[in-house]
Amino acid sequence: MRRAKIAVFGSTGSVGKSALAVIEHLADRFQLVAIAAHQSVAEICLQAERYQPRYVLLSDKQAAERVKSRLGRRFRVLGGKEALEQFPDSHEIDTLVMAMSGTAGLGAVLAALRQGKKVALASKELLVVYGEPLMRFSRRYHGTVLPVDSELAGIHQCLEGRDFSQVRRVILTASGGPFRRTGPPADAQVRQVLRHPVWKMGKKITVDSATLMNKGLEVIETVRLFGFTPDQVTAVIHPESVVHALVEFRDGSLLAQLSVPDMRLPIQYCLTWPEREGSLVQFLDFEQRMKLHFLPVDQARFPCVQLAYRALAAGSGGTCVLNAANDVAVEAFLQGQIAFGEIPDIIRQTLAQFTGEKKRKRFSIPLLQQLEQRAGEFARKLIGIN
Ligand SMILES: NC(=O)c1ccc[n+]([C@@H]2O[C@H](COP(=O)([O-])OP(=O)(O)OC[C@H]3O[C@@H](n4cnc5c(N)ncnc54)[C@H](OP(=O)(O)O)[C@@H]3O)[C@@H](O)[C@H]2O)c1
């Protein structure tokens, strides 16, 4: 069998590293052709030596020069944003794993979809900001977008081969993060916020999990990717993180997707879909007593979930503004510029400021790029940073 050629963008991050482990595990099916990151020189050099891709890409040109001088001529090292955006267009790859932070991967994803390729998409912010035009683009060029997010991969599995018109609603689970019991303390310190009880992830998504904005972003992702209406998508707290998603049908019957919480499973699902292979992930052990709990989301304590629904009601402009404000607020919190409790306020005020513009019916990608930038600038001004 010909091996599928894969590029992992965001290879030095939490999802990227898991993707490399999956590709190594299934080396008879997959060939790693390219890895890409921003500026983690030491890490990407180690990855190049270990996994032997043909291409090593860095969006930061100076970092690319440093990688070139370290690795010599054994690899093709490409530097700069444009190189990353153009690479997935080439015949060198069949599948792009997109796990770069935020919306940095937009150009690369469009390039892959334009060639009708498969994109295993972890970067949820891309669907939150550009979801509508991105999915139109994907349909137009017969590309495939598969969700790496474990909850969305869970929905994908429950819906496989089913008639969407029979679905009453889909239910995303949330671990509840470190403040599930207490509610988020307004003055929580960065190290408390980054102590996630279940998942080990990058800093941005870990903060989003503590405010529950992560669940809000996933609700938006679900609407954009599967085409459900916002009132068909709901979230529930499930501290064990064993059930990743549930789909409820018209007759009241529910299907759920369960597994141990391990990102290597949804990544592998996207890569091998529609087939399955043995994985590196442990099986659930039903010989042990196992309790599963489900609790409603306390929207008063975690206002970010409500803000996400409010943004969804305002359409693509709303979700773009929400994400831009959240990005700025989370970064400001990590830099010690605002308190943890101020994150929802920054988002709320930014959403309110852009109310008029959010109403436009159909947004193109360039219009959303402009809006994202302006909303980010407004949020920075609110905080008093440039
Ligand atoms: N972690 C999870 O379990 C998980 C689960 C579901 C979805 N996701 C989503 O997956 C995405 C990545 O999450 P993560 O936790 O893996 O993040 P992470 O550990 O912070 O890794 C981010 C990756 O993106 C690269 N990057 C950062 N800024 C960039 C830029 N300006 N241009 C190009 N590349 C850039 C980083 O490269 P450098 O190392 O060179 O900076 C790194 O490879 C996020 O959208 C997140 O919401 C994550």
Side-chain angles (χ1 to χ4, degrees):
M1 191 169 70
R2 175 185 169 276
R3 292 189 299 164
K5 295 185 283 184
I6 317 252
V8 176
F9 276 34
S11 65
T12 53
S14 156
V15 174
K17 287 176 189 167
S18 295
L20 296 182
V22 170
I23 294 164
E24 183 179 51
H25 168 65
L26 297 176
D28 54 338
R29 282 194 64 151
F30 303 121
Q31 180 191 1
L32 181 71
V33 171
I35 53 178
H38 182 41
Q39 53 187 14
S40 292
V41 172
E43 179 67 38
I44 209 162
C45 287
L46 285 174
Q47 291 183 338
E49 297 288 1
R50 171 161 179 188
Y51 298 104
Q52 297 290 314
R54 197 174 306 145
Y55 293 89
V56 178
L57 295 92
L58 288 116
S59 52
D60 183 303
K61 283 187 176 161
Q62 289 174 347
E65 287 308 315
R66 295 208 298 282
V67 167
K68 247 183 219 169
S69 65
R70 279 204 198 189
L71 292 179
R73 290 167 169 257
R74 289 168 300 144
F75 302 90
R76 291 200 58 189
V77 180
L78 306 175
K81 212 167 156 262
E82 305 72 31
L84 265 79
E85 288 182 355
Q86 284 159 16
F87 185 78
D89 207 340
S90 76
H91 297 299
E92 298 280 358
I93 64 157
D94 304 306
T95 299
L96 172 66
V97 176
M98 174 47 68
M100 294 191 323
S101 302
T103 54
L106 176 66
V109 166
L110 293 177
L113 293 176
R114 195 180 294 113
Q115 296 300 330
K117 294 178 184 176
K118 180 159 100 176
V119 176
L121 185 63
S123 311
K124 62 186 75 187
E125 294 86 353
L126 277 177
L127 272 179
V128 171
V129 177
Y130 300 106
E132 275 182 348
L134 189 81
M135 294 311 291
R136 278 202 300 272
F137 189 90
S138 177
R139 282 191 293 274
R140 180 168 162 205
Y141 291 101
H142 306 291
T144 306
V145 180
L146 291 171
V148 164
D149 229 326
S150 56
E151 294 77 0
L152 274 88
I155 298 172
H156 195 275
Q157 290 171 72
C158 294
L159 286 174
E160 180 83 278
R162 297 188 186 271
D163 176 357
F164 281 30
S165 70
Q166 304 296 311
V167 174
R168 180 170 173 263
R169 60 178 176 158
V170 298
I171 303 159
L172 304 164
T173 61
S175 71
F179 306 124
R180 176 174 63 84
R181 290 175 199 281
T182 57
D187 59 351
Q189 299 301 300
V190 171
R191 69 187 147 69
Q192 287 173 278
V193 173
L194 292 183
R195 214 180 291 136
H196 195 280
V198 181
W199 300 97
K200 185 151 179 24
M201 310 178 283
K203 285 184 184 173
K204 155 63 169 61
I205 185 174
T206 308
V207 178
D208 285 344
S209 298
T211 59
L212 285 200
M213 178 55 93
N214 187 45
K215 222 37 58 182
L217 298 181
E218 286 170 11
V219 168
I220 299 168
E221 262 191 294
T222 305
V223 169
R224 300 290 184 242
L225 187 69
F226 298 101
F228 293 116
T229 57
D231 61 356
Q232 282 183 294
V233 186
T234 185
V236 64
I237 302 292
H238 168 50
E240 293 83 6
S241 299
V242 165
V243 176
H244 303 295
L246 304 103
V247 174
E248 187 175 57
F249 293 89
R250 285 166 63 171
D251 57 2
S253 180
L254 284 151
L255 291 183
Q257 188 265 330
L258 287 75
S259 73
V260 295
D262 187 325
M263 282 306 293
R264 291 175 299 182
L265 190 54
I267 294 167
Q268 175 167 323
Y269 172 76
C270 289
L271 292 180
T272 62
W273 177 85
E275 290 146 24
R276 293 195 187 254
E277 293 281 357
S279 79
L280 294 162
V281 176
Q282 280 183 0
F283 291 94
L284 275 177
D285 182 3
F286 288 98
E287 298 301 317
Q288 304 290 323
R289 185 188 164 107
M290 178 171 33
K291 282 189 179 176
L292 300 179
H293 297 85
F294 298 93
L295 299 88
V297 174
D298 186 338
Q299 306 232 1
R301 278 172 146 183
F302 293 96
C304 285
V305 180
Q306 247 174 2
L307 288 170
Y309 278 101
R310 199 182 297 169
L312 256 177
S316 274
T319 48
C320 171
V321 171
L322 174 99
N323 189 73
N326 183 54
D327 270 359
V328 169
V330 169
E331 184 55 28
F333 166 67
L334 287 170
Q335 298 299 329
Q337 293 159 328
I338 60 169
F340 184 60
E342 288 179 89
I343 294 176
D345 294 335
I346 304 290
I347 300 166
R348 195 178 292 112
Q349 289 183 57
T350 312
L351 274 174
Q353 173 69 17
F354 287 85
T355 314
E357 298 190 45
K358 288 175 318 204
K359 295 253 158 68
R360 177 193 281 268
K361 271 232 150 65
R362 204 172 155 113
F363 274 92
S364 63
I365 287 176
L367 268 177
L368 287 170
Q369 283 174 314
Q370 283 171 23
L371 185 58
E372 187 185 16
Q373 192 177 340
R374 286 174 42 231
E377 279 163 14
F378 179 82
R380 273 190 286 276
K381 222 186 231 169
L382 275 180
I383 298 168
I385 50 177
N386 290 314

